[in-house]
Amino acid sequence: MARRQHSVVADNAHLATLGHKQELTRHFSPLSMLGLAFAILNSWTALSASLSLALPSGGSTSVLWGLVTAGICNLCLAASLAEFLSAYPTAGGQYHWVAVVSWPKWVPILSWVCGWINCFGWMALTATAGLLGSQLIIGIIPMYNAAYEAQRWHQFLIYIGYNLVAFLVNAFGNKIIPLVNKTAITWSISGFVIISITVLACASPNYSSAKFVFTGFLNETGWPDGVAWLLGLLQGALGLTGFDACAHMIEEIPNPAVEGPKIMIYCVAIGLFTGFIFLMCLLFVAGNVEDVVSSPLGPLGQILLNATNSRAGTVCLLIFPLVCLLFAGISILTTSSRMNYAFARDKGLPFSRVFSRVHGSLNIPLNSLMATSAIVVIFGCIFLGSTSAFNAIVSASVVALGVTYAMPVAINCLRGRRMLPATRYFKLPEPFAWFANLLGIAFVIVTTVLFIFPPDLPVTGSSMNYCVVAFAVVLIISVIQWFVDGRKNYTGPKLDLDETVLTAANTREDPRLGGPEMASPEGSDKKFGDEA
């Protein structure tokens, strides 16, 4: 007990050296934090629920090998960001790290833009859990009523239900969220094992050929085959995005500089492994892929029905991903609210004083949580008017988070990878670090361009990919807000130390390239990059 208390005191002092007082309780264990991160990725669930993205755009080769490609690149990004997390374990995450490594005169604007993109990315990602869950439920109804015609408001009500439960758990169940996260990872792994074994056993011996599973190709997009396959990477990217969750929750876990980097990498590795095995099992029992793509049940529902030949069995198996998506909604909302709270704490949002407030008895940033939930509901209202616009917001979440992953890594590379403290706990071997950094950056550049392409040709108003519009709106709002408020009040994350706290000696590898060699109380009123 005494050892844990000493650890928490040291962690709070470390956070103070990064410019912030400890306001949230460090009540997450490493396992519960891993559960939160994995609940957000929930790779096998997200990948199977979004099969409609990849199957028409490359077939099984895009589903499996697209996931492997996205997995390797995301592991490189996760390892790259783990170095930052080890050195600077603060809920700000990417925008904070951008401020640390940027050139002094560019610190405010680069950190500001990164923070706005990250906030939007997480709020948009919050909408995906309710969207995918509502799609699965809507897909169940035609199994029992062939005449059923889905209406947007049907799906909207289910979407609201998912997000209402997520809000209530976050608002009034903060003390049980670590237990919820442990339950989430247990439920998810159990579902992965049970569904995999069940579909293989029920479909035996009528399996698809190995040639189809590992080399089958399908292109119904109208794009050239190579472009179509690359567009199918969106499924893999969606199933593995959000691993920065542990960064935004890092102020609620003991020993964050050590545990945080490991959790960030583990959740991507587990997601890649479970996702690949699960998708492989589904493809072996899929049946006719054209029927799967066009089924009103949705690809996952149709595959499970093909495998089990039982409507009741299909519904029972679908309960696993449906509950997983509810856990995901809870965890994503938790993370999104902490991200908005952290950015408001550094005066990056309108009404920052309101959104940076921590509720005294609930011990959560309640105002930030309510604002995040309100925006997610607004996203749902957009769905009532236009499915294309809503899908653009969801796609933009993947693009937005990818951009924020690349920004601190790219800036650090441009500055010779010399801007992080040499004394950080997690440090990649230098040759591999360059490889991982550059591969991750290249993946973000390629996918950012590809994911704004229309999914099908010829392009119509309804099939147009409005992702670029959604992303542009966020950038425009952030630029307007910068000139209205940001350039006057935002200077980047502050180093605002109490004189009574311990300070961390974070020595830079090359002090000439920026920043002090040691954080100290005398430098408590300085901003990142001032000394460069």
Side-chain angles (χ1 to χ4, degrees), residues 243-264:
F243 53 81
D244 58 316
C246 59
H248 305 306
M249 297 294 297
I250 201 69
E251 293 175 22
E252 297 175 59
I253 180 175
N255 202 14
V258 176
E259 301 296 342
K262 293 189 289 187
I263 294 170
M264 182 175 281

Side-chain angles (χ1 to χ4, degrees), residues 10 13-18 423 497 501-507 517-520:
H14 191 182
L15 180 62
T17 68
L18 301 177
T423 53
L497 303 182
V501 301
L502 300 174
T503 58
N506 286 334
T507 307
E517 290 193 28
M518 180 179 294
S520 64

